[in-house]
Amino acid sequence: MSDTGILSAAPDRGTAWRQEIAATLRLAWPLAAANLLQMLVWAIDVMFIARLGTIPLAAASLSFALFGTLMWSLTGLTGMVSALIAAALGRGTGVVREVRRATRMAMWLAIISATILAVAMYRGEAFMLMTGQEAEISALAGEFLAVLGWAAIPMLLCNVLRSYVSALDRPVIATVVVGLQVAVAALANYVLVFGHFGFPALGMVGSALASSVTAWLGVLAYVALIQSDRRLRSFHIFGRWWSPDWSYFRRLIVLGAPVTLTIVAEGGLFNSAAFMMGLIGADQLAAHTLALQLAAFAFQVPFGVSQAATIRVGYFYGAGDRDGIARAGWAAIVVGTGFMLTTATAMLVAPLTLLSLYIDPRAPQYAATVGFAVVYLRVAAAFQLFDGFQAVAAGSLRGLQDTSAPMWIALVGFWIPGLATMLWLGFRTPLEGLGIWIGLLVALVVVAAGLLGRWLLRERFGLLPVQAA
């Protein structure tokens, strides 16, 4: 890693903090931009499928909800390689060997876990029927998922390579690759969904194939850019790819599996909220979808800061620098929470402007939806702060290779007070949809408080390394 934020001379306290914040921002903004562009890649798929009709759109929406949640969770499993790489760089001994083996095993894990996911997607239709979806929608979703599932392999490989280049201080490469994927996704969908340039019109299946094409070109782009960069090339991560190192493989599973369960806990709760809204009414479900989309876009920035925090904290963890760990973690928390304060303010003062990104908020047919959405955005303004905080705090703890306790904090916080509040206020009081959103807020507050306590008491919990001499 370059010496961003770490100087050979000992700076004064104020200078050290300024340097750390600058280093965090330098690492976080390309990752946040890549996160936002990745959402655009998924949005392009939906845009093209929407032109096929309401039934295909419904099938695709359900498919993306299932596949997207599982994919997001597996990125937590493989993405922990960034913490291992950062720690190796911080230690400064045997760096090439450690980085190469950790990255190679992360690629193995990506291929294995993605293959399991792809095979599981052949049961997509059965899952949709089990959740009470219509037979026609379930059949289309099953066909779509059977093809889309195989895109998981290149997608997870992209996640590993993105973690690799980011941990080695080349995060802009991730932004460039995902930006390229946006263009490829649009072209591939245009060609394969509707049939252009001599290709047959494949409909929804064409969009699923377009996802694979987009992801595999992303892998090729990463390989080309890594091989063209002297520093990235010097670790030879593609050499002897067939040679296993089971100690790193096990380490990635031990550290990454709790992250996967953490993501499933959060994603599962938010997906449950959508099903609950559907039981209350169409207008409230539509309003929920719009408000949550805005919150999800805003979340991509602190999510990028969280990824940066894992790397920055992980570097100091490997170096045995406790002061550096504290600066890196708190700097990331300030940056991530500070951004969410800005988006929270926008949700409070300009909700109609934000909603106009999706619909005409003054159109009579959307009056009820807009009314509910404005109310939900007020709650979203509050939970933005806690959502951003818990994401960055979790990322900082991952830099300390602490994932099991945060998993339990998430499981308990999201699924006990959070779900209980949603069910009680949503179905036992007149609050209905607002009650469900208050339940989401309660969950995020509890999880954020738990992670803050874990971070504050990191020394007492034995999470810190022995102070370097």
Side-chain angles (χ1 to χ4, degrees):
M1 175 176 287
S2 67
D3 61 352
T4 51
I6 310 167
L7 303 182
S8 55
D12 62 70
R13 184 178 180 86
T15 301
W17 277 99
R18 286 192 296 272
Q19 290 170 346
E20 184 55 46
I21 290 175
T24 299
L25 288 170
R26 239 183 341 261
L27 183 56
W29 80 257
L31 295 174
N35 293 338
L36 291 167
L37 288 170
Q38 188 63 61
M39 288 196 70
L40 183 57
V41 172
W42 289 100
I44 287 171
D45 293 339
V46 174
M47 290 174 191
F48 277 91
I49 293 173
R51 296 174 179 236
L52 298 174
T54 55
I55 298 298
L57 178 58
S61 298
L62 291 170
S63 299
F64 284 133
L66 174 62
F67 180 77
T69 300
L70 294 174
M71 267 298 304
W72 182 29
S73 68
L74 290 180
T75 62
L77 178 67
T78 57
M80 278 304 295
V81 69
S82 63
L84 296 182
I85 293 173
L89 294 169
R91 283 191 296 273
T93 56
V95 174
V96 173
R97 175 180 176 276
E98 289 197 47
V99 170
R100 180 173 61 246
R101 293 192 175 191
T103 306
R104 182 193 304 152
M105 288 299 96
M107 288 191 283
W108 276 43
L109 187 58
I111 293 171
I112 293 170
S113 59
T115 301
I116 294 171
L117 173 60
V119 172
M121 289 299 96
Y122 282 96
R123 301 293 298 165
E125 181 178 359
F127 177 83
M128 297 299 168
L129 291 171
M130 185 178 66
T131 59
Q133 307 304 317
E134 295 179 9
E136 183 180 4
I137 291 176
S138 297
L140 282 175
E143 182 182 9
F144 183 66
L145 285 168
V147 179
L148 180 64
W150 292 104
I153 295 175
M155 286 178 180
L156 283 180
L157 286 174
C158 280
N159 182 63
V160 172
L161 297 177
R162 170 180 171 163
S163 300
Y164 171 74
V165 300
S166 300
L168 288 167
D169 204 29
R170 301 291 193 272
V172 174
I173 288 178
T175 312
V176 171
V177 171
V178 183
L180 172 65
Q181 287 180 308
V182 171
V184 172
L187 178 60
N189 273 279
Y190 176 76
V191 170
L192 296 174
V193 173
F194 299 111
H196 293 283
F197 305 122
F199 285 84
L202 299 176
M204 284 183 65
V205 171
S207 184
L209 289 172
S211 294
S212 285
V213 170
T214 301
W216 277 116
L217 284 177
V219 172
L220 293 177
Y222 271 117
V223 172
L225 290 170
I226 287 170
Q227 293 301 100
S228 67
D229 184 286
R230 176 185 294 181
R231 185 154 193 263
L232 298 178
R233 186 175 64 245
S234 67
F235 291 91
H236 306 291
I237 62 171
F238 303 116
R240 293 179 57 82
W241 56 266
W242 59 87
S243 178
D245 188 310
W246 298 116
S247 63
Y248 274 104
F249 191 82
R250 286 191 297 270
R251 186 66 176 156
L252 282 166
I253 292 177
V254 169
L255 291 175
V259 180
T260 293
L261 291 175
T262 299
I263 294 172
V264 169
E266 181 173 2
L269 185 74
F270 277 82
N271 285 337
S272 297
F275 282 98
M276 293 181 198
M277 285 290 188
L279 296 175
I280 293 174
D283 288 327
Q284 298 215 40
L285 175 58
H288 169 83
T289 302
L290 292 173
L292 201 58
Q293 275 292 305
L294 290 168
F297 267 102
F299 177 75
Q300 299 312 307
V301 174
F303 184 41
V305 177
S306 172
Q307 293 167 317
T310 298
I311 295 169
R312 296 294 301 168
V313 173
Y315 180 88
F316 289 114
Y317 176 80
D321 184 348
R322 295 187 176 195
D323 291 337
I325 288 171
R327 281 196 306 273
W330 284 115
I333 288 170
V334 168
V335 170
T337 308
F339 176 83
M340 294 306 257
L341 181 61
T342 302
T343 59
T345 301
M347 289 178 178
L348 287 175
V349 303
L352 296 182
T353 301
L354 295 175
L355 290 171
S356 67
L357 296 172
Y358 295 93
I359 60 174
D360 179 1
R362 292 173 178 78
Q365 65 266 33
Y366 295 126
T369 297
V370 169
F372 287 123
V374 169
V375 173
Y376 300 160
L377 283 174
R378 290 174 186 156
V379 183
F383 87 45
Q384 287 279 286
L385 300 177
F386 295 100
D387 201 12
F389 182 92
Q390 66 90 17
V392 179
S396 298
L397 290 168
R398 287 168 196 163
L400 298 176
Q401 301 185 18
D402 178 41
T403 57
S404 293
M407 174 195 71
W408 287 110
I409 291 171
L411 288 172
V412 171
F414 285 125
W415 285 96
I416 297 181
L419 181 62
T421 304
M422 290 165 64
L423 291 172
W424 177 260
L425 294 181
F427 297 99
R428 297 286 185 175
T429 75
L431 293 176
E432 295 187 325
L434 176 58
I436 290 173
W437 273 72
I438 291 173
L440 293 174
L441 173 60
V442 168
L444 289 167
V445 170
V446 171
V447 173
L451 293 176
L452 172 61
R454 184 81 177 169
W455 174 251
L456 288 172
L457 299 175
R458 57 191 179 278
E459 182 171 8
R460 180 177 299 180
F461 287 122
L463 304 179
L464 297 178
V466 176
Q467 185 75 45

